[in-house]
Amino acid sequence: MINIIVGVLPNFAAATSRPFHLNGLVKVPRTNTPDDHYKNAILLSPTFSYAKETSATFGLFTLYQFKPKKAGHLTRPSNIIGSGWASLMGQFTIGSRHEILTTGEKIYLHGQFNYRQFPEYFFGVGASTTPENKMTLSSKAFQLEEQIYFKIANRLFIGPQLRFFRYYDLSLTDASAGYHLTDFYGTANQNNIGLGLGILCDHRDLIMTPSHGYYIAGTVTFHQPLWGSDFNFVKLTFDGRKFFDFQTAGKSVLALQFKTELNLGDVPLTELSQLGGEMSMRGYMLGRYRDRNSFQSQIEFRQHLVWRIGLTAFAGAGTVAPQPSNLVRLNNIKTAAGVGFRFNINRQDPANLRIDYGMTEEGGGIYISFGEAF
């Protein structure tokens, strides 16, 4: 964090002298200013982070925010984020994710890839698992996801998507609850290949730190032996977000999100829906609860304070279930809440260093990352 705040920030392009307004947590150019004023920015920094499911991690982080040449002021900036890190729990990952918009936003690329060796805590399947069931699930995995959206109307996109997941060397240890790996379906070495279709309506003002607008995305992906998948199932996802700025030019923002994932067919353990992590239900470690289906919702209030600094407060609710109809059972709903600190690392195109503390009935967790949770 010291490297980021002291050593890296001065390397960003200096703020321009053209008109500006408050958007997100800091002053940024108005969207109707000439595009030739936009300056691409690159951040390269060693990083430290902490999350409940990883313990302390150390690695290298890169962020590239850019626009294509002659993109025009109606084209929002794109971003590519790359990282590699190792944790004190023996976890290792390297990968990248991106949101890239071509000139005129005619094509929208959204995807990620990573390789990881990732021992993680595993509590079994279902919403009724207890902390006493804690085991360690180890695996090696390669993940590739890419969605190619084509513009069909103003900020409305549709297009194909590809999912490729390879899992191998799965093992289960510390099985004090008496479980064995063979007790769960789909734990052998496997390739899960999915082809599908996605639709996206993205009316956010900015991608990394939206202050107003909305975002609605839905996908359906078919995993079939016909194209090499070891399992036959369908994955359905929905993600809806809404942002309110209360006419404060981005100083006070209320953000809402609802998302769900449904899996139909022969779903392996590795592809079950998971609850928790640094992006949703913060306070629960990722995978604390998992099952065939899930829903998660959250609300967050973001307040700019002074200079590049802001604070947030958030709360979430969600659950997992074997059948979609079971998701509405109130006795299975899990809740989380917390507070966060924000430090903007790019004055022209806001991108925040995020430090969140989430609390649940089972304890709390600290999350240090880049970009908003949603």
Side-chain angles (χ1 to χ4, degrees), residues 105-124:
E105 300 194 357
K106 294 180 180 180
I107 300 177
Y108 192 151
L109 304 177
H110 186 285
Q112 62 177 322
F113 78 89
N114 66 68
Y115 171 78
R116 63 182 184 268
Q117 298 181 27
F118 205 87
E120 59 183 309
Y121 290 133
F122 175 66
F123 299 84

Side-chain angles (χ1 to χ4, degrees), residues 91-279:
Q91 298 152 322
F92 165 80
T93 184
I94 184 170
S96 175
R97 57 188 173 90
H98 59 265
E99 293 174 290
I100 300 174
L101 292 158
T102 64
T103 300
E105 300 194 357
K106 294 180 180 180
I107 300 177
Y108 192 151
L109 304 177
H110 186 285
Q112 62 177 322
F113 78 89
N114 66 68
Y115 171 78
R116 63 182 184 268
Q117 298 181 27
F118 205 87
E120 59 183 309
Y121 290 133
F122 175 66
F123 299 84
V125 176
S128 301
T129 59
T130 66
E132 290 72 29
N133 295 140
K134 185 169 71 174
M135 300 162 274
T136 300
L137 178 64
S138 299
S139 66
K140 298 177 182 178
F142 175 80
Q143 169 189 2
L144 172 65
E145 293 184 277
E146 188 64 53
Q147 297 165 341
I148 305 175
Y149 292 109
F150 297 94
K151 182 178 179 180
I152 59 174
N154 181 35
R155 295 199 173 182
L156 178 63
F157 308 84
I158 190 170
Q161 77 157 0
L162 165 70
R163 297 181 78 246
F164 174 75
F165 282 66
R166 174 168 173 76
Y167 298 92
Y168 57 101
D169 292 349
L170 275 75
S171 64
L172 191 63
T173 58
D174 304 324
S176 57
Y179 290 112
H180 301 282
L181 196 62
T182 54
D183 295 331
F184 303 97
Y185 178 73
T187 56
N189 293 350
Q190 59 194 261
N191 294 321
N192 296 324
I193 303 173
L195 300 176
L197 185 69
I199 185 167
L200 170 65
C201 186
D202 186 356
H203 280 265
R204 297 173 294 176
D205 55 336
L206 294 172
I207 292 177
M208 292 200 71
T209 54
S211 64
H212 66 266
Y214 61 91
Y215 173 99
I216 300 173
T219 66
V220 54
T221 312
F222 299 89
H223 302 76
Q224 292 280 343
L226 180 63
W227 40 78
S229 182
D230 291 331
F231 294 91
N232 187 352
F233 66 99
V234 180
K235 185 178 292 287
L236 301 156
T237 69
F238 173 84
D239 185 350
R241 312 174 193 179
K242 175 65 178 174
F243 305 91
F244 304 89
D245 69 359
F246 302 109
Q247 298 182 344
T248 60
K251 293 180 67 175
S252 302
V253 176
L254 180 67
L256 307 173
Q257 182 186 35
F258 174 84
K259 63 180 183 178
T260 186
E261 179 179 305
L262 308 178
N263 290 287
L264 312 174
D266 302 324
V267 189
L269 176 68
T270 53
E271 291 282 358
L272 294 177
S273 299
Q274 299 185 47
L275 202 71
E278 67 176 32
M279 309 301 285

Side-chain angles (χ1 to χ4, degrees), residues 11 26-28 49 56 139 186 190 198 263 274 291 310 341 361 369:
N11 294 328
V26 297
K27 296 177 180 179
V28 298
S49 66
S139 66
Q190 59 194 261
N263 290 287
Q274 299 185 47
D291 211 322
F341 169 85
E361 61 181 7
S369 186

